[in-house]
Amino acid sequence: MHQIIENYFNAQIIREAFPDVLQGFWVTVRAALSIIILGLGFGLGFALLRCINNRILNALIRFYIEIFRTMPQLVVLIFIYFGLPYAGIRLSAFFSTVVALSAVLAAFSAEIFWTAIVAVPRGQWEAAFALGFRRSQSLFFFILPQALRLALPLVTNRMIAITKGTAFGVAVSLQETLGSAQSVMAIKANPSPLILATFFYLLFFFPLVMFSRYTERHFSR
Amino acid sequence: MHLFLTNFFNISSLMPVQYLLWQGLRLTLLLSVVALPLAILCGLSVALLYSFAGKRVRRFMLVLIDLMRAFPVLMMLILIYYSLPFLGITLGGFSAVVAAIVLNNTGYFSEIFRAGLESIPVSQMEAAQALGFHRTKAMFYIILPQVLRRAAAPLASNSLELVKTTSIAGLVAIPELIRSAEIAQEQIYNPTPLSAVGIIFFVLLWPFSHLVSRLERGALRGRVDL
């Protein structure tokens, strides 16, 4: 018992690690928010582009979706950080993480949004046309609001799963929550900073998981 | 274009290091084969416990499930691999990775099974018991098969995610596909191994990802028709 307190809840070490891990936590929050905005924005954009029904555009978007849905996030991240410099494209650890995870989230959410748009019954389109709305107007005023409701639970779950991947930033030595906790741990030879990092992660992700439960309950039926 | 090809698809430079990729592929597959059944089994057991538990225990279990779902898997792995030795418990890299993935995915799978179990009307259980089935027997012969059908889409999608998650093993020095590719890339100063890993994952997982999107489409349609 004493050993557990000494190693995991060592107050002095937690106090000393706090500023570093907090700074890391801000990096995590910034990265996560950028990923959510970019990923969902591009995802919705791709889904809307598919509504234009251009065959070449659709093929390109589907190709993109298939690729980024099957690649592990870590593969995308490593490729961007270690592979792209050979092509003369050098991104910082932070931007590599944001770009990699946004690309993955965009692929998943594009597919979910598109599936949801298609899932809205045809009668809704026909009713909107009958009322004299043009195609784009019908899409934005009638179909999209219903589609977003349908998509919300799935998108929230995916969003959480992918933003949790900010911890993969460690692989490209990004000093986010986990990375900074690990370096303090290495210096102090005590794993208490990891508990601090766990606390910070749960602080951010637990409310999101609760929110996803809420969306599942209220938007699934 | 030529520069692009020699950099990212340089087959001849890949040849001397290809054994690294095969070894990586073997480890990735091995990790998946060990972790996936374990995670599904743990998730199912938690969900069954939940369905037989009282109200207060249920609320407590729900919080535990949510905690597991909110936990980044890499954080779990680092905790297990780097901090347990301070307590005198040393796990090898392979078992640490399996433990982290199974713990993390138990949360996901139990939530899927739990939601599935909840979606089956109580009358099914009552009907089975009226026919003389014991509760556990009714669960396995009548309720679970229906759950499996309804939860097919999220189950498949999560299994796919689990296989992709095995790539974290590279961070605790298990040379699975990505780690091997990084080593290979450092040896030949060329990112072709990284592209190769991308292609391997794509070829390996694309059929499943295709299946998942078909199942998901069906599930979403079903919800609209209700």
Side-chain angles (χ1 to χ4, degrees):
Chain A
M1 193 61 210
H2 175 70
Q3 231 184 348
I4 290 179
I5 293 179
E6 175 69 28
N7 279 316
Y8 287 97
F9 301 99
N10 193 320
Q12 199 203 338
I13 290 186
I14 287 184
R15 211 174 303 133
E16 285 170 15
F18 193 81
D20 283 355
V21 180
L22 183 67
Q23 204 150 35
F25 180 60
W26 286 132
V27 176
T28 300
V29 171
R30 276 205 334 252
L33 292 181
S34 324
I35 291 162
I36 292 173
I37 293 169
L38 286 174
L40 295 187
F42 275 99
L44 189 58
F46 287 147
L48 290 176
L49 280 179
R50 278 180 82 172
C51 293
I52 297 176
N53 262 336
N54 180 316
R55 200 171 283 181
I56 299 169
L57 203 59
N58 279 1
L60 281 177
I61 293 173
R62 280 195 41 202
F63 184 64
Y64 170 84
I65 290 176
E66 297 289 355
I67 293 228
F68 280 92
R69 269 162 45 112
T70 40
M71 298 262 208
Q73 297 156 21
L74 203 50
V75 173
V76 182
L77 176 57
I78 301 262
F79 190 85
I80 289 177
Y81 191 74
F82 293 108
L84 284 191
Y86 288 93
I89 303 168
R90 231 169 265 277
L91 293 178
S92 71
F94 181 81
F95 279 110
S96 302
T97 311
V98 169
V99 169
L101 295 181
S102 307
V104 175
L105 181 57
F108 274 104
S109 60
E111 181 69 12
I112 295 172
F113 284 132
W114 170 245
T115 314
I117 289 174
V118 177
V120 175
R122 265 216 76 73
Q124 296 286 329
W125 284 100
E126 285 155 10
F129 291 153
L131 290 171
F133 287 97
R134 272 184 289 119
R135 215 184 126 73
S136 57
Q137 284 174 324
S138 323
L139 175 62
F140 280 102
F141 296 144
F142 298 101
I143 307 302
L144 204 54
Q146 299 182 57
L148 289 182
R149 269 182 74 97
L150 272 177
L152 193 60
L154 286 172
V155 162
T156 331
N157 274 335
R158 210 35 99 170
M159 186 187 88
I160 296 169
I162 290 170
T163 44
K164 269 168 36 179
T166 48
F168 292 148
V170 171
V172 294
S173 55
L174 174 66
Q175 285 291 313
E176 44 69 75
T177 315
L178 179 57
S180 47
Q182 248 189 316
S183 32
V184 181
M185 173 178 88
I187 296 167
K188 306 277 184 200
N190 182 305
S192 303
L194 291 183
I195 297 297
L196 191 62
T198 305
F199 167 76
F200 274 125
Y201 275 125
L202 292 182
L203 194 71
F204 188 78
F205 288 111
F206 196 63
L208 279 180
V209 171
M210 306 275 276
F211 174 68
S212 84
R213 229 176 238 299
Y214 169 82
T215 61
E216 263 161 26
R217 201 158 297 156
H218 289 260
F219 295 99
S220 290
R221 281 168 230 288
Chain B
M1 192 63 204
H2 180 70
L3 197 71
F4 177 78
L5 281 182
T6 49
N7 262 328
F8 290 100
F9 296 96
N10 195 330
I11 308 291
S12 56
S13 77
L14 188 61
M15 280 306 144
V17 288
Q18 57 153 328
Y19 70 95
L20 280 169
L21 293 185
W22 293 125
Q23 168 212 329
L25 180 61
R26 227 199 52 181
L27 268 169
T28 296
L29 290 179
L30 196 62
L31 274 169
S32 315
V33 168
V34 174
L36 184 58
L38 270 177
I40 293 182
L41 214 62
C42 290
L44 183 60
S45 327
V46 172
L48 286 177
L49 274 179
Y50 178 92
S51 75
F52 287 123
K55 206 169 184 186
R56 209 169 289 167
V57 181
R58 280 190 172 197
R59 198 165 297 163
F60 176 69
M61 285 179 81
L62 219 52
V63 173
L64 273 189
I65 291 176
D66 280 353
L67 279 178
M68 280 196 270
R69 293 201 304 161
F71 221 100
V73 60
L74 193 55
M75 183 76 227
M76 191 89 85
L77 175 61
I78 303 283
L79 264 178
I80 292 173
Y81 188 72
Y82 287 109
S83 84
L84 284 187
F86 284 92
L87 298 180
I89 307 165
T90 312
L91 285 181
F94 191 88
S95 17
V97 173
V98 170
I101 292 180
V102 167
L103 268 174
N104 189 251
N105 278 276
T106 297
Y108 287 124
F109 278 120
S110 58
E111 175 60 20
I112 294 170
F113 282 120
R114 193 196 62 78
L117 281 169
E118 222 153 64
S119 76
I120 307 292
V122 191
S123 53
Q124 291 284 329
M125 180 57 106
E126 288 165 357
Q129 281 179 322
L131 288 172
F133 280 93
H134 187 259
R135 263 184 82 149
T136 41
K137 261 198 171 168
M139 181 58 94
F140 280 102
Y141 291 130
I142 292 158
I143 309 292
L144 273 185
Q146 299 185 54
V147 171
L148 282 183
R149 242 193 74 166
R150 287 202 186 186
L155 280 178
S157 138
N158 205 57
S159 307
L160 188 67
E161 285 307 306
L162 187 145
V163 174
K164 284 156 66 179
T165 317
T166 56
S167 55
I168 59 168
L171 296 172
V172 292
I174 299 290
E176 45 64 72
L177 262 175
I178 304 187
R179 185 75 201 113
S180 313
E182 271 185 273
I183 297 168
Q185 173 232 333
E186 281 156 14
Q187 279 183 13
I188 60 177
Y189 296 107
N190 185 295
T192 307
L194 296 178
S195 326
V197 165
I199 294 171
I200 292 176
F201 266 112
F202 187 75
V203 170
L204 211 60
L205 298 181
W206 186 74
F208 296 101
S209 119
H210 202 67
L211 175 77
V212 168
S213 39
R214 271 185 47 196
L215 286 171
E216 271 174 354
R217 207 161 295 167
L220 214 59
R221 287 247 174 79
R223 242 167 58 197
V224 175
D225 291 338
L226 278 177

